[in-house]
Amino acid sequence: MTDELRKSPVLVDILVANGFVLTEFTAIVELLRTANRVTAKEAFRWRWLSKRGGPVTCRAGITIDTHPFDEKHTAQYVFMLGNSDPDAPDLSQRRLIKAYQWAGTRVILLSEAASRYIAETGEQLMSHTTHWENRALLNERGTPGMGSYALVADDGQITTSAGMGATYDLVLGMLGGHISAAAVATVTDIFLHETIRTSSTLQPFGGKELSRSGNRPIDQCIELMQANLEEPLRISELAGYLDISERSLERQFRKHFGTTPNAYYRELRLNQANTLLLKTSMSVREVGLACGFSNGFSSLFGRHFGITPTALRRAQAPAG
């Protein structure tokens, strides 16, 4: 990088639509702002854009004022944020993405923006990733392939990411290409971000790469539970796989989590059911079966969450 280029701010476009993920927005903007403060110069300059411009509101109710998309694709990076509605029409921007690519811009798609791109390209490739929750929708709609469960994946043209908290790791990695390592370390410390995870790091849930307790047998047990949500294993089977007694397994779960293996397993399955209810169009019965509840699903769900599956889906339906 020449000295002249180093003097020019790196330009970043941030594309949003109503329902955008606030966590991702603040991760990008606050990290860029803090990088400018730490380097005592305008190392980065950014703007947020939407299809029509004007006020755009995230699901948390916070509104930002945006510029409309234009033909001046001069940014070095463009981020398209995830959305509370995976079917939001404004997530479909293939023509705009191509225009940025032709201009030499690095295109970065986060969570639902990534899954929409994957769906529209027609295949889940190992060079593409998205948040593990979005896999449920891709799989339900028959998008072929397995895809990657890494935090970030790069296909040579477009970067896809799980988004959410992984946005911090992604942006911190990006900063390293433009400011010194010491400056990146300072930004990382300011955000109390202990380590910058590499792009190949697997997502904690979807990637089954877990460290919940620091106790390897317990962590292995959780991995087995998460790998067998649709057809749950008996606790005796789990103990057998781990070569420990059921009594020992229960004692260790109570020590680390204050609950029984059965209760922990049931809650994992109910949490997965919650994801499927909100992210797919599967019927309530289909969701129950997919999470290992052959009967009594609605009652169990209602007792745990305080709301029935049908009522939850109705309450969380995207507004207009």
Side-chain angles (χ1 to χ4, degrees), residues 9 57 67 137 202 230 247:
T57 304
H67 298 284
L137 185 60
L202 295 178
E230 185 170 355
R247 185 184 295 271

Side-chain angles (χ1 to χ4, degrees), residues 33 140 164 166 216 219 254 315:
R33 183 188 64 80
E140 183 213 3
M164 299 301 285
R216 188 55 190 159
D219 292 340
R254 287 193 181 279

Side-chain angles (χ1 to χ4, degrees), residues 102 107 182 200 216:
W102 277 109
V107 177
S200 60
R216 188 55 190 159

Side-chain angles (χ1 to χ4, degrees), residues 140-154:
E140 183 213 3
R141 294 181 176 178
T143 305
M146 294 296 293
S148 170
Y149 280 98
L151 294 180
V152 179
D154 189 339

Side-chain angles (χ1 to χ4, degrees), residues 257-270:
F257 305 118
T259 190
T260 66
N262 258 325
Y264 190 100
Y265 202 175
R266 183 171 58 249
E267 185 170 350
L268 283 180
R269 290 154 53 210
L270 287 169

Side-chain angles (χ1 to χ4, degrees), residues 117-272:
Y117 176 79
I118 292 168
E120 292 181 350
T121 56
E123 187 173 2
Q124 300 184 67
L125 303 173
M126 290 304 293
S127 57
H128 294 151
T129 192
T130 184
H131 192 284
W132 62 264
E133 285 192 316
N134 296 322
R135 291 288 174 200
L137 185 60
L138 288 169
N139 292 336
E140 183 213 3
R141 294 181 176 178
T143 305
M146 294 296 293
S148 170
Y149 280 98
L151 294 180
V152 179
D154 189 339
D155 71 358
Q157 296 181 306
I158 288 179
T159 297
T160 50
S161 171
M164 299 301 285
T167 309
Y168 285 91
D169 304 279
L170 193 161
V171 177
L172 286 166
M174 183 196 87
L175 296 184
H178 303 281
I179 62 177
S180 70
V184 174
T186 302
V187 173
T188 304
D189 288 344
I190 288 171
F191 279 83
L192 304 179
H193 201 75
E194 190 171 342
T195 59
I196 303 174
R197 295 174 293 180
T198 64
S199 61
S200 60
T201 301
L202 295 178
Q203 298 173 44
F205 185 96
K208 309 295 188 294
E209 188 177 86
L210 304 171
S211 181
R212 300 296 192 206
S213 68
N215 180 302
R216 188 55 190 159
I218 298 302
D219 292 340
Q220 288 177 322
C221 182
I222 296 171
E223 291 177 22
L224 285 168
M225 288 176 174
Q226 292 194 324
N228 294 276
L229 297 178
E230 185 170 355
E231 296 183 7
L233 300 171
R234 296 188 299 273
I235 301 303
S236 60
E237 291 178 292
L238 290 169
Y241 283 126
L242 301 171
D243 197 26
I244 60 176
S245 68
E246 289 184 60
R247 185 184 295 271
S248 176
L249 184 62
E250 180 158 344
R251 185 166 57 248
Q252 292 188 56
F253 261 82
R254 287 193 181 279
K255 175 184 175 181
H256 290 287
F257 305 118
T259 190
T260 66
N262 258 325
Y264 190 100
Y265 202 175
R266 183 171 58 249
E267 185 170 350
L268 283 180
R269 290 154 53 210
L270 287 169
N271 289 342
Q272 174 69 353

